[in-house]
Amino acid sequence: MSVKLIAIANQKGGVGKTTTALTLATALARMNKRVLVLDLDPHACASLHMRLYPENQSRTLYDLFQAPEDQREGLWKDIIKETRSQRLDIAPASIRLSELEIDLRDRKNKGGILANALTLVQENYEYVLMDCPPHVGILLVNALVACDLLIIPIQTDFLALYGLKLLFDTMRTLNKVLPKPVRYMALPTMYDRRTRACTRVLDLLQEKMGSAMFNTIIGIDTRLREASAQGCVIYDLDPQSRSALAYTALAGEIVEL
Ligand SMILES: Nc1ncnc2c1ncn2[C@@H]1O[C@H](COP(=O)(O)OP(=O)(O)O)[C@@H](O)[C@H]1O
Ligand SMILES: [Mg+2]
């Protein structure tokens, strides 16, 4: 398998990163894959969505970044939580993740902490999905260093192309310091085929991204929001819905990569 460690990032907020991380993870688990989701966002949306409340967690990914190397193995055991969905585990976030920028200021190889720590657990999973925060910083860099694939969810609205330019500027800067250039694939999200603006943006995206784009398009679906409010995923609400089928198709594409 060539792709195993997948970062889901875009510095624009509200584009479907967290929804994609959790729904794709569930879709892969439903295909009998063992999956771990890492919540790397201090806002802890993925953890909350899975009903892991930061105030109830004795250990979170924050502790992993802080710990000396020889304590990481024991920490993973405390951090990783099972979910109701079989084969899907999650490592929750803490609001304190936002302190790492300062805490790790003087740490050597601070961009490689996650990649290094993952070597201790990645053999237990077929996929590790990293839900990234919407800003450039130590957490995003750690995810990009660790990943073999970056999925960039792109909301198909008229501002998306401007956001994309920002993202590529960031990637160019990061690629200069990363050990290897990041392989990426764009994922159109919140697509509304009834609006002309959406179809135009999709055409432009296809033109710009060429083969670095999934065939799957995630349509707009308010039930995704409903699922998140209920602490479940779309497969629990309506496994035959268009968005559930789209995320299953996306999982199919990932498995074939
Ligand atoms: N395809 C979609 N259609 C409609 N709403 C969506 C879709 N994907 C995500 N949402 C909703 O949009 C909001 C932002 O999505 P989220 O995944 O949290 O984005 P991000 O992690 O990029 O900030 C959430 O309320 C989510 O439920
Ligand atoms: Mg998010």
Side-chain angles (χ1 to χ4, degrees), residues 13-255:
V15 297
K17 292 185 289 296
T18 300
T19 304
T20 296
L22 294 174
T23 316
L24 174 61
T26 308
L28 288 165
R30 284 163 58 95
M31 295 165 90
N32 281 330
K33 310 293 181 193
R34 283 160 299 140
V35 187
L36 172 66
V37 173
L38 304 183
D39 187 353
L40 292 171
D41 189 343
H43 291 113
C45 293
S47 309
L48 291 167
H49 188 147
M50 298 309 275
R51 301 183 191 167
L52 291 168
Y53 302 99
E55 60 273 23
N56 297 341
Q57 309 307 319
S58 57
R59 297 284 188 208
T60 68
L61 285 170
Y62 171 76
D63 301 284
L64 186 83
F65 278 95
Q66 282 282 6
E69 227 172 304
D70 60 347
Q71 288 177 21
R72 288 183 189 154
E73 191 156 12
L75 266 175
W76 273 123
K77 291 197 180 75
D78 291 339
I79 295 170
I80 293 176
K81 300 287 181 308
E82 291 178 358
T83 67
R84 281 179 303 138
S85 160
Q86 250 183 5
R87 291 180 291 275
L88 173 60
D89 289 349
I90 177 162
S94 150
I95 179 83
R96 299 196 67 189
L97 279 173
S98 60
E99 296 168 20
L100 287 175
E101 216 71 54
I102 293 170
D103 294 348
L104 300 179
R105 206 176 26 202
D106 303 321
R107 178 89 73 93
K108 261 204 220 137
N109 298 327
K110 58 187 170 189
I113 295 174
L114 187 62
N116 200 283
L118 275 172
T119 58
L120 299 167
V121 287
Q122 67 195 43
E123 293 315 314
N124 303 336
Y125 299 95
E126 276 140 313
Y127 293 98
V128 179
L129 271 49
M130 299 170 245
D131 185 24
C132 295
H135 50 258
V136 182
I138 189 72
L139 290 159
L140 179 65
V141 171
N142 266 273
L144 294 181
V145 170
C147 75
D148 351 281
L149 176 72
L150 162 65
I151 297 180
I152 311 170
I154 298 174
Q155 192 180 348
T156 41
D157 72 3
F158 69 102
L159 286 175
L161 297 178
Y162 176 70
L164 208 58
K165 183 184 175 311
L166 279 179
L167 185 70
F168 279 107
D169 288 346
T170 305
M171 296 249 288
R172 244 191 309 277
T173 314
L174 282 177
N175 274 339
K176 288 185 193 143
V177 294
L178 293 176
K180 57 176 188 324
V182 179
R183 176 183 179 192
Y184 62 85
M185 296 276 281
L187 173 70
T189 62
M190 304 185 192
Y191 178 67
D192 184 350
R193 64 206 157 99
R194 292 163 308 179
T195 64
R196 271 250 294 288
C198 259
T199 50
R200 231 180 37 234
V201 169
L202 188 67
D203 286 347
L204 278 167
L205 263 180
Q206 273 157 346
E207 203 181 297
K208 268 185 183 287
M209 307 298 287
S211 60
M213 188 156 137
F214 289 104
N215 294 321
T216 304
I217 295 163
I218 310 296
I220 191 141
D221 183 355
T222 52
R223 302 203 74 193
L224 287 168
R225 181 168 294 153
E226 215 175 290
S228 133
Q230 292 187 28
C232 63
V233 290
I234 189 70
Y235 297 102
D236 302 313
L237 289 189
D238 187 354
Q240 289 307 318
S241 63
R242 212 185 277 270
S243 53
L245 297 178
Y247 275 107
T248 303
L250 178 64
E253 284 196 66
I254 301 266
V255 170

